[in-house]
Amino acid sequence: MKTLIARKVRPRPALITLGIALAALSLCSCKPPFSDRDDIHEVFRFSEAGAPITMDPAQASTAYENNMVTSIYDQLYDYKYLARPYALKPRLATGMPEISDDGLVYTFQIQQGVYYADDPCFPDGKGREVTVHDFIYSMKRQFDPAMLPRGEWLWRGKIKGLDAWKAAGSDYDQDVPGLQALDDYTLQITLNQPFPQLVYTLTMGYSSFVPRESIEYYGREAGLNPVGSGPFQLESFTTQRAVLSRNPNYREEYFDLAYEGYAPETQGWAGLEKLQGKRLPAMDRVEVYFMSESMTRWNSLNKGTEIHFGGIPTELTHMVASQLSPLKLRPDYADRFTGMSAPDFGFVYMAFNMADPRIGHHEDPEQDRRNLLLRKAIRAGFDWEQRNRTFYNGLGQFFPGIIPPSLDAYDPDLPHTLGTADLAQARAYLQEGGWTAENLPRLEYGATANVTNNQMFEQFRGWMERIGYPREKVVLRTFATFGDYNRAIRDQEVMLIPIGWGMDYPDSQNVLQLYYGPNQSPGSNLSNYDNPEFNRLFEKTKVMLPGPERTALYRQMNEILLRDVPTISGMVRTSPFIWHRNVIFYPSESPHGSLLKYAYISPKTAEEAQH
Amino acid sequence: MKTILRNFLASESSRESLWSKSFRKFRRDRFGIAALIVVGVYAIIALGVWVGLWGQNWSDISDEGFQGISRDHWFGTNLIGQDIFARAIAGTKTAFEVGLVVALSATLIGGVLGAIAGYFNGTIIDEVIMWLYGCIDAIPFYLFVAAIAFAMQDMPYAMHVAMIATFWSSTCRIVRGEVIKIRNLEYIQAAHAIGVKPLTIIYRHVTPNTFHIMLVQATISFVGAIKSEVILTFLGLGVQDGVSWGTMLSESINEVLRGHFGNFLAASGFLFVLVIAFNMFADALQDATDPKKISS
Amino acid sequence: MAQEKPLLTVENLSVEFTTDSGVVKAVDDISFEVAAGEPVGIVGESGSGKSVTALTLLQLVPDPPGRITSGRIELDGIDILSKSQAEMRQIRGDLASMIFQEPMTALNPVFTIGNQMTEVIRVHRKVSKKQALQLAIQMLDTVNIPSPEKRVKQYPHELSGGQRQRVMIAMALSCDPKLLIADEPSTALDVTVQAQVLKEIHRLQEERNMSMILITHDLGVVAETCKRVIVMYKGKIVEVAETKELFRNPQHPYTRTLLDSVLTLRD
Amino acid sequence: METIQYAIRKLLYSIPLLFGVTLIAFTLMVYFGPDLTYSLLGKSATPEQIESVRKQLGYDQPFLERYLMFLKEVVTFDFGNSISTGEKVSSILARTVPVSFAVALPAFIISNVLGVGLALIAAYHRGKLWDKSVMVFAVVGMSMSYLMIVIAFQVIFSTSYGLNWFPVQGWVDPIPDYIDAGFFETIYYYWYYYWLYVTVPTLTSIFVSLGYNTRFFRAVIVEEMNRDYVRTAKAYGIGNGRIMVKHVLKNAMIPIITRIIISLPFVIIAGNLVLENFFGIPGVGLVTYDAITNGDLPVVKAVVTWTAIIYVFALILTDIAYKLIDPRVSFTK
């Protein structure tokens, strides 16, 4: 047996080589597919910090949502692209409304021959013509609780019969006296009392023209399947990205510089002439990316190939820009980007919960007086100027009271010293009120849990320590979500409420209503401020047409707020934006929504291409 | 009866020798000792913060943010002008607090439940405990922690509770397995036979034999807790009012691109050194207390 | 026989172990010879260094903690200690084979008997899988395992302890080693099975005319199988003698205590 | 047959587990979870509106009623529509789970294979330099915070501050309609973009998990190497490499496979929310996290339930794997 079997020569043990398929990684050196094709569509890529949740005009309420809704749906009016201060222009309406002498009846004409985008919700998949019935339907939806509407408060009690319609059970077959279609293209709105801001509200996404077919066809998923007559239609939508493509049924609209309020001396740098005469939307395809991490957002923009337009993260502003107002980019960025700072159409402020007897209104007049002094002391210790420097690159703009500089009732003569801390004054107030480290109430500062809020709180605590507040008496109450924070505010449980207000239209009424007594939580009066004098003035101005008389009253109300200190306000934030050099764009914060149709990537000239 | 007693004594003495042997073995592990010293230094730092010796100025703000490195500010200052070094020092206390609270509670709960489950192996008690940790294991960690943190929001210990609620299960599983083994040993059977009450057996004879496992598990939980704290804080579920390395790292995310590495370096440096020391300590501890390794 | 060169020569072998409590000399300067075809017993209580000696013969002492500090081993003219691990692999299982004490764990539980046996055969012999399996079945038959064709497809846990030890023997002998080292081959088995297995080893050793080193703590086992006995105590060889001579006239006091224990048990 | 019977029996046994998971999830995430009411209201709400929304969300129902509703959803696998977007939960999962899976899978496979490989190398050279290097690497890897690695890797691989090889964020687009791509072009297109987007997240998660995997696998393998059969194999001249790869590895497979399979459901369903957040990947991790933070209960309920179900299946799968590996395992006990 032994002879039969040869001794085997053992091979050396083969080394266990871990051949991992990292070959895939080498692909970064090869060419992207289709990159040599010249018919690849140019896409405008836009980034935002947050994502829309729904695109149903009845519900869309955030800036992100409004941006989408106004790109997809048409409203009666819009703002001019370039005019500052903001100026209205008709969108679906053919002109400004005819208003009756008593200011109660508005008559609107809309364009004929405007069609919805094609969609399976229509009988043969073809978009039908837009009529004023769609507007009436949309307004009724705001008063139908089943639609979970969010814009109802704008028109509450204002349109004749609409609240009664809601009370009667929101039956869409029932007529509303205040919303009448005289014919398919003529709309008549009748008000209960004058509402000078009505036309402003008709630019908002809430008042879009919505085809009833689509809402009924898509049911609960209507918010994901918007069907409008606007410049774009929604191609796809995930939590990370929305893709908009040109609505082929979109009416002919051409860009006119002069009409949009172009001011060559201040806007000439933006290259907007290249847009002149272009049919809108200027791009076939727009991709909106939602990136909550500002680091990701910036990396993606700075790369030069991914995102065309975005904001500069606050933390990086100094690295990117040599000068902020007006924005001047550093040379290495200026080669690639154009930039501009645009002030927010809104502001941040810190409200005191006046319903909290520890700091707000108090039955006992003496305690009420002491509380006022405490609020004054806190305001004197609050350093907007430093907050601006640390969190807003000094780009923010402080304003006393509640009327921000972008509104005509803004009073430039108000004391701006309130914007900087005055420690001596603060301590004097505390002393006057008999407040000592022992008897000072605990300050509870509310916020949703995140890093920036935490830092803002710590800064606030630092200020309070400076005016003599013991560290342990300034505490942070965090909330996991904004919804929970909001609930606590509306339940009047939060003592110090740092919050922001995004304005809905350029009229001070929109901000003064924040202190109107009947608007107390759960309404928009988060401070739960209630002053009969203020309330009386508010009711008086509510129905007044714009004019010097109303402006004077607005200013008077603002001064009452400064005197009573229900709030420490406020600051208008300004965001620096940058975009690739070949992109033609002029950014703005709300009230604008539908800016995306103006975004344009200009083809490179031969010279530029060589460069 | 005599033999039973002798067995008892033998087991007691062998346990004693196991600990002294482990100690001897650990003492020879140079890495282990070095790691322990590092952990000790951190513990002293944390203790100092706790009693108020240093790191008390972590919340003081100054007018200028992002100051560079100077004698006053060893790692510079952060956005709102707070001294990063003081914050890192104060963060040590937070880390130890989170680590200790979570490690001790989770190990205690896991150990006790594991011992009970193991001792009553096969009975309904065992089934219930197994069911409980089965359920917890079936829910993804971050979802579970986030859910607890939300449900308990506004309570300063929400994060701790969340981590304890998830961390105990692995200790419980391991201790249970070990106890099932121990339970079948002669002397436990004997104790049982002479009528010693089950709880007494568990307390006197079973749990002491799982201490080495619990010790190692506690070190692992400690590291797990301070690492999870970072992610949870980043997600907004962690430390709310106070300072931790997690807050600092979250702050640093947007600072590194701007070229301010103070927060990032301080927090990740402090965290990294502690975690690596703890990991090495845990390793050395495991080596030293592993009876299999002692007998060989 | 005496003039012939011995198959195995061990000279001045010392092995040390590093333990928690310091360095221990497991084998201390031992020398012995095993002639071709000769069965030799190594006897000693546990810890006397006999197992370590056996492992050292095939360079199987784990290093660390074990370390061969001095000595020379010559097996069939090969200087074992100068060989690399790779070279040793060709020797193990082929020139010299080993049987272990614990048949329950010494076989890999997750492979079939046939798989494990053919693997050993194919490591040393250039044969096909089929041929190797054939050989394995033949070997199982040789060690008197009933229906070996069936057995090769079974897993270790499906066999009884005695059968498993027979499988080990079959495996050890499958490449016709010149030296068989049996480390307590029967200790873990039932008393009745013990005798059968020992008889089997004895028979095969004689049939094949192998040299054998039988390691045991039980002098009784040696008495039946080995001509010569080496007694080890605390790492040292304390006595080497013909088996009969040893039983009749033990020289070393330790041997006498060992003998006493055998005799008392037999009583 | 025996296996199927076993699986069915095991499934029945897992009903209490599912019950427990749903109860815990319900109590924590639904009953005490975030309140969506105010997110669904406008800027200025009236108490009646609040009441109406709470009613529509079912918040006014008692605990038991709501839990029973949930159980009914579990039994019928119909979790309805997301509260916030209105999208069907099933379509959310269908859209996002494959993406998370595609992102997690390469990292999962590579880090386990690499982990086993490194563990084998370390165990093979136990106590030597190789072992020590691997273990130091593992401990260092384990000691780094996830957040640190994500930040560093994004900067290093994807930005103009670093190598700039990969996109910062994003996910594979379908080929545009107007391009008619051939079969191979299509394959190349998806292959190319898939790796383009998945590489950096993959490297990140490999880096994060490799240390843990290697250490665990090494411990398992070392323990297995001390077994008697290894000594036997050695004594019969079988090479060390072969012993490691054939004998030791197969025996060590049971703990290895347990770890791998048990972690699989979390990889698929729970996704990886930090990664998805930083790299802009439309996966299920982020959707779930958003759902928890927004209080979008239908999504949370669906994800938790599905995870638990898949977890149970994974447990059964591990038991079956045991049987395949270890002939001693029997289901009939």
Side-chain angles (χ1 to χ4, degrees):
Chain A
M1 204 162 74
K2 216 169 180 172
T3 48
L4 278 176
I5 303 167
R7 267 177 201 264
K8 187 174 174 180
V9 182
R10 289 271 307 144
R12 289 199 60 78
L15 275 172
I16 315 158
T17 44
L18 288 159
I20 302 302
L22 290 172
L25 300 187
S26 65
L27 59 79
C28 48
S29 58
C30 52
K31 226 167 32 165
F34 311 127
S35 59
D36 46 352
R37 292 181 60 141
D38 45 15
D39 60 341
I40 293 283
H41 290 185
E42 280 268 32
V43 181
F44 177 65
R45 299 195 190 84
F46 182 85
S47 76
E48 286 191 314
I53 289 171
T54 172
M55 298 184 196
D56 181 343
Q59 295 165 0
S61 53
T62 65
Y64 314 117
E65 289 167 347
N66 197 44
N67 204 9
M68 303 306 292
V69 166
T70 49
S71 293
I72 296 166
Y73 289 95
D74 270 323
Q75 295 80 35
L76 277 168
Y77 292 93
D78 198 356
Y79 293 92
K80 291 185 175 176
Y81 183 25
L82 304 169
R84 299 289 183 278
Y86 297 108
L88 287 169
K89 68 172 182 187
R91 185 164 171 177
L92 261 190
T94 52
M96 297 314 278
E98 250 176 62
I99 308 171
S100 65
D101 291 341
D102 56 3
L104 293 180
V105 183
Y106 285 62
T107 311
F108 304 86
Q109 293 289 333
I110 67 160
Q111 296 184 37
Q112 304 191 7
V114 173
Y115 288 86
Y116 284 112
D118 297 341
D119 192 273
C121 73
F122 296 115
D124 45 5
K126 286 266 164 235
R128 67 158 170 80
E129 195 179 2
V130 178
T131 70
V132 295
H133 295 284
D134 299 327
F135 175 84
I136 294 172
Y137 173 68
S138 188
M139 291 298 282
K140 282 178 170 174
R141 289 185 72 216
Q142 291 293 347
F143 284 74
D144 174 6
M147 295 288 174
L148 294 169
R150 284 170 226 181
E152 183 252 18
W153 67 281
L154 287 163
W155 299 290
R156 195 182 293 156
K158 297 208 166 97
I159 294 175
K160 196 175 160 194
L162 194 49
D163 301 84
W165 177 85
K166 178 185 177 182
S170 305
D171 177 1
Y172 289 91
D173 296 332
Q174 291 290 316
D175 231 23
V176 174
L179 293 169
Q180 290 295 329
L182 302 185
D183 59 51
D184 276 358
Y185 312 108
T186 312
L187 169 74
Q188 194 169 73
I189 298 180
T190 311
L191 302 170
N192 292 326
Q193 50 177 299
F195 179 26
Q197 295 83 15
L198 175 68
V199 180
Y200 287 133
T201 66
L202 302 182
T203 64
M204 297 174 74
Y206 296 131
S207 64
S208 300
F209 282 70
V210 178
R212 186 171 178 172
E213 296 92 320
S214 72
I215 302 300
E216 283 167 2
Y217 181 82
Y218 290 109
R220 295 202 60 179
E221 295 196 331
L224 301 165
N225 296 281
V227 181
S229 53
F232 292 104
Q233 54 188 12
L234 184 69
E235 198 174 289
S236 70
F237 173 51
T238 66
T239 33
Q240 269 74 26
R241 186 178 75 162
V243 179
L244 297 171
S245 60
R246 177 193 291 279
N247 169 10
N249 291 356
Y250 190 56
R251 59 187 176 275
E252 278 186 51
E253 185 188 4
Y254 295 94
F255 184 75
D256 179 358
L257 268 177
Y259 179 69
E260 299 293 345
Y262 180 56
E265 59 285 1
T266 54
Q267 295 167 332
W269 54 269
L272 292 155
E273 297 86 359
K274 287 189 184 160
L275 201 58
Q276 176 65 17
K278 278 246 161 266
R279 183 168 176 184
L280 301 176
M283 297 296 291
D284 288 329
R285 198 177 150 89
V286 172
E287 295 175 356
V288 186
Y289 288 82
F290 319 118
M291 297 180 244
S292 58
E293 285 310 318
S294 79
M295 172 177 148
T296 307
R297 220 157 50 236
W298 168 251
N299 285 341
S300 195
L301 173 69
N302 186 38
K303 219 172 148 63
T305 48
E306 284 181 26
I307 298 291
H308 295 109
F309 172 92
I312 309 174
T314 316
E315 307 83 15
L316 298 185
T317 318
H318 289 288
M319 190 182 82
V320 180
S322 56
Q323 184 192 314
L324 291 168
S325 187
L327 190 71
K328 262 214 182 98
L329 299 177
R330 290 190 189 278
D332 44 333
Y333 290 95
D335 284 350
R336 297 182 287 137
F337 296 105
T338 314
M340 149 181 185
S341 297
D344 278 12
F345 194 61
F347 51 87
V348 289
Y349 63 110
M350 191 176 83
F352 290 108
N353 179 4
M354 298 295 285
D356 188 334
R358 289 172 298 174
I359 193 138
H361 297 302
H362 202 282
E363 296 159 0
D364 172 19
E366 167 59 15
Q367 185 63 34
D368 200 54
R369 186 188 70 88
R370 291 183 67 214
N371 284 1
L372 174 63
L373 286 164
L374 175 58
R375 291 199 300 276
K376 279 187 166 172
I378 295 173
R379 179 170 67 183
F382 200 99
D383 196 338
W384 280 110
E385 202 267 325
Q386 191 181 359
R387 171 140 302 178
N388 189 14
R389 244 186 306 125
T390 22
F391 292 97
Y392 310 115
N393 289 309
L395 273 178
Q397 190 178 4
F398 168 78
F399 63 95
I402 204 70
I403 300 176
S406 58
L407 300 178
D408 56 358
Y410 171 70
D411 183 356
D413 300 331
L414 285 174
H416 270 69
T417 46
L418 288 172
T420 48
D422 185 343
L423 301 183
Q425 180 71 59
R427 291 199 195 99
Y429 283 137
L430 287 181
Q431 203 176 11
E432 190 187 338
W435 292 112
T436 61
E438 286 74 42
N439 68 10
L440 277 169
R442 234 164 76 108
L443 289 183
E444 292 163 11
Y445 180 104
T448 48
N450 70 41
V451 173
T452 307
N453 285 344
N454 209 350
Q455 287 190 315
M456 286 189 175
F457 162 72
E458 290 196 11
Q459 191 177 52
F460 174 75
R461 179 168 57 190
W463 295 331
M464 292 304 106
E465 282 185 72
R466 284 177 184 178
I467 67 168
Y469 238 101
R471 181 158 85 187
E472 323 73 65
K473 279 199 170 174
V474 186
V475 296
L476 177 65
R477 263 191 79 186
T478 54
F479 298 87
T481 67
F482 187 74
D484 285 335
Y485 181 38
N486 208 355
R487 174 172 64 175
I489 294 172
R490 309 277 171 169
D491 290 348
Q492 312 194 347
E493 284 171 357
V494 186
M495 190 175 185
L496 304 180
I497 312 164
I499 199 147
W501 177 255
M503 288 194 286
D504 299 285
Y505 40 80
D507 186 324
S508 304
Q509 183 257 359
N510 188 241
V511 293
L512 290 167
Q513 57 90 22
L514 290 173
Y515 291 91
Y516 179 50
N519 276 356
Q520 277 189 28
S521 297
S524 52
N525 179 357
L526 308 175
S527 288
N528 304 305
Y529 177 65
D530 197 5
N531 178 337
E533 186 193 358
F534 183 93
N535 293 349
R536 194 179 50 77
L537 288 172
F538 182 78
E539 276 152 27
K540 192 171 166 192
T541 53
K542 209 164 87 169
V543 296
M544 284 170 77
L545 288 175
E549 197 193 343
R550 193 182 70 169
T551 303
L553 289 176
Y554 278 168
R555 287 182 176 173
Q556 195 185 334
M557 289 158 77
N558 198 27
E559 274 166 41
I560 294 175
L561 294 178
L562 279 172
R563 191 189 68 208
D564 280 357
V565 204
T567 182
I568 303 177
S569 70
M571 171 143 327
V572 177
R573 295 176 292 186
T574 295
S575 318
F577 295 104
I578 59 171
W579 55 96
H580 291 183
R581 283 208 74 93
N582 59 335
V583 171
I584 308 296
F585 199 64
Y586 195 79
S588 146
E589 290 286 336
S590 325
H592 273 296
S594 56
L595 293 188
L596 291 175
K597 69 176 172 186
Y598 303 111
Y600 176 54
I601 300 180
S602 66
K604 284 188 177 124
T605 59
E607 188 196 345
E608 278 167 347
Q610 252 182 357
H611 188 73
Chain B
M1 204 59 176
K2 247 184 191 166
T3 50
I4 292 166
L5 281 176
R6 190 151 10 104
N7 280 329
F8 262 107
L9 290 172
S11 78
E12 300 287 329
S13 67
S14 79
R15 191 195 311 141
E16 284 312 310
S17 72
L18 182 131
W19 281 106
S20 61
K21 247 182 175 171
S22 302
F23 181 65
R24 233 180 327 119
K25 202 168 162 191
F26 182 81
R27 234 177 16 189
R28 273 209 311 277
D29 188 334
R30 266 176 300 153
F31 284 106
I33 293 290
L36 187 61
I37 291 171
V38 173
V39 174
V41 169
Y42 271 94
I44 291 167
I45 294 174
L47 204 66
V49 177
W50 191 61
V51 300
L53 287 178
W54 44 64
Q56 299 302 301
N57 55 339
W58 61 269
S59 74
D60 294 357
I61 56 168
S62 49
D63 285 332
E64 205 184 329
F66 293 131
Q67 293 173 41
I69 290 168
S70 66
R71 195 181 302 169
D72 290 340
H73 305 294
W74 292 2
F75 282 87
T77 64
N78 69 358
L79 175 69
I80 55 175
Q82 294 168 323
D83 180 46
I84 289 171
F85 185 68
R87 288 170 74 76
I89 294 286
T92 311
K93 183 209 141 197
T94 313
F96 265 79
E97 182 204 290
V98 173
L100 285 178
V101 169
V102 172
L104 292 181
S105 319
T107 312
L108 196 70
I109 295 172
V112 169
L113 289 183
I116 293 173
Y119 189 80
F120 296 105
N121 177 234
T123 69
I124 184 78
I125 298 172
D126 184 28
E127 291 288 330
V128 168
I129 293 172
M130 272 168 69
W131 169 78
L132 203 58
Y133 69 62
C135 291
I136 283 167
D137 287 350
I139 302 174
F141 174 66
Y142 283 117
L143 295 195
F144 190 71
V145 173
I148 294 181
F150 279 130
M152 294 183 58
Q153 66 178 339
D154 223 18
M155 290 183 215
Y157 284 93
M159 175 181 64
H160 302 67
V161 172
M163 284 197 261
I164 293 165
T166 44
F167 283 10
W168 68 274
S169 71
S170 62
T171 309
C172 182
R173 184 193 308 277
I174 295 172
V175 169
R176 176 179 171 271
E178 188 68 21
V179 169
I180 289 175
K181 267 189 243 162
I182 295 171
R183 195 177 89 111
N184 294 327
L185 293 181
E186 210 178 322
Y187 73 95
I188 301 288
Q189 296 290 356
H192 196 72
I194 59 172
V196 182
K197 280 198 204 106
L199 284 178
T200 315
I201 299 180
I202 294 176
Y203 176 70
R204 290 272 320 272
H205 307 294
V206 175
T207 40
N209 283 297
T210 58
F211 271 161
H212 64 282
I213 294 173
M214 282 161 52
L215 195 61
V216 171
Q217 278 298 311
T219 57
I220 292 171
S221 305
F222 188 97
V223 173
I226 58 178
K227 280 186 77 184
S228 302
E229 184 270 322
V230 173
I231 300 284
L232 290 176
T233 303
F234 167 71
L235 294 174
L237 307 170
V239 171
Q240 311 290 0
D241 189 359
V243 64
S244 74
W245 297 332
T247 9
M248 294 174 68
L249 266 180
S250 310
E251 282 173 16
S252 79
I253 290 175
N254 296 316
E255 296 170 3
V256 282
L257 289 181
R258 189 176 168 179
H260 296 292
F261 293 100
N263 252 333
F264 183 77
L265 289 181
S268 52
F270 268 73
L271 175 72
F272 178 71
V273 172
L274 177 60
V275 171
I276 204 167
F278 233 103
N279 275 332
M280 281 165 55
F281 173 62
D283 269 5
L285 208 59
Q286 198 158 16
D287 283 350
T289 56
D290 191 343
K292 267 184 275 177
K293 288 190 180 165
I294 285 173
S295 59
S296 69
Chain C
M1 233 198 216
Q3 301 90 326
E4 223 176 297
K5 196 170 190 274
L7 181 76
L8 174 73
T9 314
V10 175
E11 283 171 13
N12 308 99
L13 184 70
S14 293
V15 182
E16 285 178 2
F17 274 83
T18 316
T19 69
D20 293 338
S21 33
V23 175
V24 175
K25 271 206 163 158
V27 172
D28 192 0
D29 193 30
I30 62 167
S31 304
F32 62 92
E33 288 175 356
V34 177
E38 183 196 20
V40 176
I42 300 184
V43 187
E45 63 191 1
S46 57
S48 62
K50 55 192 194 308
S51 283
V52 174
T53 309
L55 291 172
T56 312
L57 295 180
L58 291 180
Q59 272 202 44
L60 281 173
V61 174
D63 175 15
R67 202 163 60 86
I68 298 164
T69 47
S70 70
R72 220 179 77 86
I73 300 171
E74 196 179 302
L75 175 63
D76 200 19
I78 300 166
D79 181 1
I80 293 288
L81 294 184
S82 71
K83 294 290 174 196
S84 70
Q85 283 291 326
E87 289 165 320
M88 278 313 294
R89 245 175 266 138
Q90 295 179 36
I91 295 166
R92 294 177 196 146
D94 190 353
L95 186 61
S97 248
M98 207 162 167
I99 305 171
F100 294 101
Q101 176 179 7
E102 188 52 80
M104 304 291 268
T105 55
L107 287 169
N108 193 332
V110 301
F111 292 104
T112 58
I113 304 296
N115 184 323
Q116 294 183 56
M117 290 188 71
T118 50
E119 188 185 14
V120 173
I121 295 167
R122 278 164 58 81
V123 161
H124 297 291
R125 300 286 184 272
K126 202 170 186 169
V127 291
S128 73
K129 265 191 187 154
K130 228 170 131 187
Q131 284 173 306
L133 191 65
Q134 224 31 62
L135 193 62
I137 292 170
Q138 207 177 318
M139 284 310 300
L140 290 180
D141 195 41
T142 314
V143 296
N144 284 330
I145 287 183
S147 51
E149 294 84 1
K150 219 177 84 193
R151 294 285 176 238
V152 287
K153 291 186 193 117
Q154 285 183 319
Y155 288 93
H157 73 279
E158 293 169 289
L159 270 57
S160 71
Q163 279 175 331
R164 260 180 280 200
Q165 197 58 302
R166 281 166 201 265
V167 170
M168 284 293 297
I169 297 166
M171 226 156 118
L173 301 184
S174 57
C175 293
D176 260 320
K178 287 189 176 169
L179 173 66
L180 177 69
I181 304 165
D183 187 357
E184 307 259 13
S186 59
T187 315
L189 302 172
D190 289 346
V191 183
T192 44
V193 185
Q194 262 188 22
Q196 287 169 11
V197 167
L198 279 173
K199 230 170 93 190
E200 203 65 53
I201 294 176
H202 188 54
R203 177 178 67 82
L204 289 162
Q205 184 266 325
E206 284 193 328
E207 272 177 25
R208 302 189 161 221
N209 196 23
M210 285 184 296
S211 304
M212 178 168 81
I213 298 176
L214 179 69
I215 293 164
T216 178
H217 61 277
D218 185 353
L219 269 172
V221 169
V222 179
E224 283 151 34
T225 25
C226 299
K227 287 215 181 84
R228 212 149 56 89
V229 181
I230 298 168
V231 181
M232 282 187 77
Y233 178 62
K234 285 189 175 168
K236 287 197 165 81
I237 292 180
V238 290
E239 189 165 358
V240 181
E242 294 290 315
T243 315
K244 284 175 198 154
E245 186 59 32
L246 188 87
F247 272 84
R248 206 179 303 134
N249 185 17
Q251 297 295 309
H252 197 269
Y254 174 64
T255 318
R256 273 197 288 274
T257 52
L258 272 181
L259 269 176
D260 284 348
S261 64
V262 175
L263 296 174
T264 46
L265 270 174
R266 296 271 153 114
D267 285 343
Chain D
M1 200 54 220
E2 188 197 350
T3 311
I4 294 168
Q5 272 177 1
Y6 171 79
I8 291 170
R9 203 167 59 230
K10 193 93 182 175
L11 268 181
L12 290 177
Y13 281 148
S14 68
I15 288 174
L17 181 83
L18 281 178
F19 182 77
V21 169
T22 54
L23 188 64
I24 292 175
F26 178 79
T27 314
L28 284 177
M29 300 178 192
V30 181
Y31 199 72
F32 289 112
D35 186 336
L36 206 60
T37 316
Y38 290 92
S39 316
L40 295 179
L41 287 165
K43 281 172 162 177
S44 191
T46 60
E48 301 80 65
Q49 280 176 326
I50 294 169
E51 204 46 49
S52 149
V53 170
R54 289 187 64 82
K55 202 165 172 178
Q56 287 192 49
L57 293 174
Y59 289 170
D60 54 341
Q61 302 287 322
F63 181 91
L64 196 66
E65 198 128 321
R66 291 179 70 190
Y67 180 56
L68 288 177
M69 284 286 290
F70 178 24
L71 282 187
K72 200 182 129 207
E73 291 170 354
V74 171
V75 173
T76 55
F77 287 111
D78 179 8
F79 295 94
N81 297 57
S82 151
I83 293 177
S84 39
T85 65
E87 189 175 2
K88 274 193 87 64
V89 173
S90 52
S91 82
I92 294 179
L93 294 184
R95 174 162 61 78
T96 54
V97 170
V99 173
S100 286
F101 194 56
V103 173
L105 201 63
F108 187 70
I109 293 173
I110 294 173
S111 102
N112 278 305
V113 170
L114 214 58
V116 171
L118 285 174
L120 282 173
I121 291 175
Y124 185 90
H125 299 283
R126 190 152 36 125
K128 307 267 164 57
L129 184 67
W130 265 106
D131 184 22
K132 290 202 169 113
S133 321
V134 169
M135 290 324 286
V136 164
F137 163 79
V139 173
V140 168
M142 282 167 59
S143 305
M144 288 218 224
S145 170
Y146 195 8
L147 219 46
M148 283 157 63
I149 297 165
V150 176
I151 296 171
F153 274 37
Q154 190 174 70
V155 172
I156 293 170
F157 289 106
S158 304
T159 67
S160 39
Y161 304 103
L163 299 168
N164 207 359
W165 285 351
F166 296 97
V168 174
Q169 57 86 40
W171 190 240
V172 192
D173 276 331
I175 299 181
D177 291 338
Y178 54 83
I179 290 180
D180 47 324
F183 178 71
F184 289 106
E185 271 182 311
T186 310
I187 300 251
Y188 175 56
Y189 175 90
Y190 283 111
W191 179 249
Y192 177 88
Y193 280 108
Y194 173 62
W195 283 106
L196 200 62
Y197 286 120
V198 94
T199 302
V200 182
T202 299
L203 289 176
T204 311
S205 33
I206 290 175
F207 200 93
V208 169
S209 55
L210 190 56
Y212 287 97
N213 285 346
T214 307
R215 220 164 87 111
F216 176 83
F217 295 147
R218 179 189 172 276
V220 167
I221 289 169
V222 163
E223 178 154 354
E224 212 47 56
M225 278 169 71
N226 288 329
R227 305 243 184 250
D228 286 349
Y229 67 80
V230 172
R231 194 183 55 183
T232 310
K234 258 193 190 156
Y236 292 139
I238 295 166
N240 283 347
R242 195 182 163 85
I243 290 175
M244 294 294 292
V245 175
K246 180 181 168 181
H247 293 259
V248 171
L249 198 56
K250 190 164 179 191
N251 276 284
M253 266 308 162
I254 285 188
I256 291 175
I257 282 195
T258 309
R259 184 185 170 92
I260 292 175
I261 296 184
I262 296 291
S263 57
L264 200 60
F266 302 112
V267 171
I268 304 172
I269 287 276
N272 202 325
L273 66 103
V274 176
L275 222 51
E276 290 175 8
N277 199 8
F278 266 90
F279 294 103
I281 296 159
V284 71
L286 204 53
V287 167
T288 311
Y289 185 72
D290 285 347
I292 289 191
T293 52
N294 295 334
D296 196 344
L297 308 178
V299 178
V300 175
K301 289 193 278 190
V303 170
V304 170
T305 309
W306 273 111
T307 314
I309 290 170
I310 295 179
Y311 179 75
V312 167
F313 274 98
L315 288 180
I316 296 172
L317 206 63
T318 37
D319 283 343
I320 293 171
Y322 289 173
K323 190 173 161 65
L324 291 179
I325 291 165
D326 191 337
R328 289 168 296 183
V329 173
S330 156
F331 289 156
T332 45
K333 256 200 292 190

